[in-house]
Amino acid sequence: MTGEDGGPLISLEAVQKQFGSFRALRGVDLEVARGEVVVVIGPSGSGKSTLIRCINGLEKHDGGTIVVDGIEIKGSADLAAIRREVGMVFQQFNLFPEMTVLRNVTLAPTRVRGATRKLAEDIARRLLDRVGILEQAHKYPEELSGGQQQRVAIARALAMEPKVMLFDEPTSALDPEMINEVLDVMKDLASQGMTMIVVTHEMGFAREVADRVLFMDGGRVIETGPPEHFFHNPTEDRTKLFLSKILRH
Amino acid sequence: MGNVVTPAILHALLKGAVLSVELSLLTYGLALLFGLVAALMRRSRTLVVRGLARFYIELFRGTPALVQIFFAYFATPQIFTWLNRLVFSPLSGGRVLLPPHLSPFAAAVLALSLGYGAYLAEVIRAGIDSIHKGQVEAAASLGLGGRDIMRFVVIPPAIRLMIPPFGNYALALLKDSSLASTISVVELTLSTERAISYNYQPAMMWAAAAVIYLVLSMVGSFLFSYLEVVADPLRRRRRKPMTQLATTDEEVGG
């Protein structure tokens, strides 16, 4: 287990991804340490989502290497091992509509980790309590608001006790008044030492929570640095242009 | 008008109706099986398997049910003779394996179930395809394997979507079962015809037959409406508040 010795938890080297003739990732290098919170920003089509989707193999990268917790993503066997360690939260929540909130959270622990129903439900109740929706445990996803659904999705991912959590624009599909309840849960996670990679347009969150901000454009990492440097003294012109567009008001 | 509706005529009509129901149920069961196999074959990675499924579906959707029934009943004796002579007899040392012909009932079941299987295959395929890709990705990202994803994430909501078209085809099949009368299966339509030749009351008898078909259709229709409720977790709970509350309490307590 090379990942246990204080080396990076996630390490990407020259990762490439192509969709037909479109080059979504043109050689991305990235190292994420244990407990680090990396926020990825950039214009749409810049490769942000593709980048994190490659980290748990939802997209298969075409070149370079991806190592998560000492396991390199190559075949499907590695993928199964990696997906047990990597949680993911999606823009559209993607809860299972036929299952109660509680079952959404217990499904993977019982089927993948072999937990008993009792143990899985105890864990699920603790997590639902932590994200503030324990009283909704027996409702179905469509009975919940978007913010509540996204918090269930976070609890569902946490139930697998992942070493890293990936967030793919977790608040982009939410009504404005629900964004904060989700960001608060994410802040709480970060403060408890969870390793996180967050694709988001929430600059306030990036400023407050990120250890490091990564700016991507055209399938490349243009600039990376701690948020204070990133937002106040960006060095690259493309970063300045992007920030001027989104921070104007 | 004294002997218009004798007990014998009533008995014949009811017997015909029972046979119509039996024919329809057996046919529908087989059609579901053929449909499921063809739908799975259409999702195969192998081109030949996909092609076979496609060929089956197009062939049976593209030809009239009546032609299929005539083929199953009138063409099979000739084909069975050839197969016995050319294939089975040489292979088995002179034994004749295929029967000389199919019974009318068997021919009707075979033709209608293959025909409806082709339609149901498309219903099943469309149901599976309509499941949001995001839910499959979410399940995969949780580490669930392909089989678990199918079993827990894809199939339950897909079945819910398939129930209304399943119901449509079940009713259509009940009515198409009357085509079996053309190859002398004494189901409701043929028993009506025969009854009329005794009492010479076509208006009343065909109206009676229509009413019986209608009643059977409505039973089927209610059954599928009920299945829709059962398959929908939210509606199920509203209809059965007491049982749902009971299980909820138990789970919270445990």
Side-chain angles (χ1 to χ4, degrees), chain A residues 95-105 128 133-145 148-149 152, chain B residues 233-234 236-238 244 248 251-252:
Chain A
L95 295 179
F96 308 131
E98 306 291 297
M99 301 175 201
T100 61
V101 163
L102 189 67
R103 187 66 182 138
N104 262 277
V105 181
L128 288 171
I133 33 180
L134 181 56
E135 68 280 6
Q136 320 280 2
H138 292 282
K139 289 195 175 170
Y140 286 88
E142 64 186 273
E143 298 176 282
L144 304 186
S145 72
Q148 290 173 323
Q149 289 193 46
V152 173
Chain B
L234 279 174
R236 182 173 59 213
R237 187 161 62 179
R238 277 185 219 115
Q244 189 63 35
T248 307
E251 278 170 33
V252 171

Side-chain angles (χ1 to χ4, degrees), chain B residues 68-69 71-74 76 102-112 183:
Chain B
Q68 291 164 15
I69 287 175
F71 195 92
Y73 188 57
F74 296 116
T76 43
L102 290 174
S103 76
F105 187 81
V109 168
L110 181 71
L112 286 170
I183 54 169

Side-chain angles (χ1 to χ4, degrees), chain A residues 124-135:
Chain A
R125 286 211 177 79
R126 212 173 57 230
L127 290 168
L128 288 171
D129 194 28
R130 186 167 158 192
V131 300
I133 33 180
L134 181 56
E135 68 280 6

Side-chain angles (χ1 to χ4, degrees), chain B residues 137-154:
Chain B
E137 286 189 342
S141 75
L142 286 164
L144 288 162
R147 264 187 204 189
D148 275 359
I149 293 177
M150 264 292 166
R151 177 172 159 202
F152 293 103
V153 177
V154 175

Side-chain angles (χ1 to χ4, degrees), chain B residues 1 10 20 59 72 76-77 81 104 110 115 123 125 132 166 212 216 219-220:
Chain B
M1 298 281 281
L10 265 182
S20 284
L59 179 68
T76 43
T81 310
L110 181 71
V123 172
R125 186 182 64 91
H132 195 273
F166 274 171
I212 295 175
L216 293 176
V219 170

Side-chain angles (χ1 to χ4, degrees), chain B residues 58-207:
Chain B
E58 294 304 335
L59 179 68
F60 279 88
R61 283 200 311 183
T63 50
L66 192 55
V67 171
Q68 291 164 15
I69 287 175
F70 283 166
F71 195 92
Y73 188 57
F74 296 116
T76 43
Q78 206 174 0
I79 292 168
F80 284 3
T81 310
W82 292 337
L83 286 176
N84 275 332
R85 192 186 318 143
L86 297 173
V87 183
F88 293 114
S89 177
L91 285 178
S92 65
R95 278 170 40 224
V96 172
L97 291 182
L98 289 169
H101 62 85
L102 290 174
S103 76
F105 187 81
V109 168
L110 181 71
L112 286 170
S113 60
L114 283 171
Y116 274 82
Y119 289 111
L120 296 186
E122 289 295 275
V123 172
I124 293 169
R125 186 182 64 91
I128 290 173
D129 284 353
S130 67
I131 297 310
H132 195 273
K133 184 170 147 263
Q135 280 155 25
V136 175
E137 286 189 342
S141 75
L142 286 164
L144 288 162
R147 264 187 204 189
D148 275 359
I149 293 177
M150 264 292 166
R151 177 172 159 202
F152 293 103
V153 177
V154 175
I155 290 177
I159 285 181
R160 171 149 62 125
L161 293 169
M162 290 174 205
I163 290 172
F166 274 171
N168 272 343
Y169 283 116
L171 297 196
L173 171 61
L174 174 70
K175 291 177 289 171
D176 273 359
S177 71
S178 62
L179 295 172
S181 63
T182 58
I183 54 169
S184 74
V185 178
V186 194
E187 41 64 74
L188 180 55
T189 300
L190 189 53
S191 35
T192 307
E193 265 185 68
R194 289 189 179 173
I196 292 167
S197 65
Y198 284 104
N199 69 1
Y200 307 108
Q201 294 290 331
M204 189 177 80
M205 295 309 288
W206 284 122

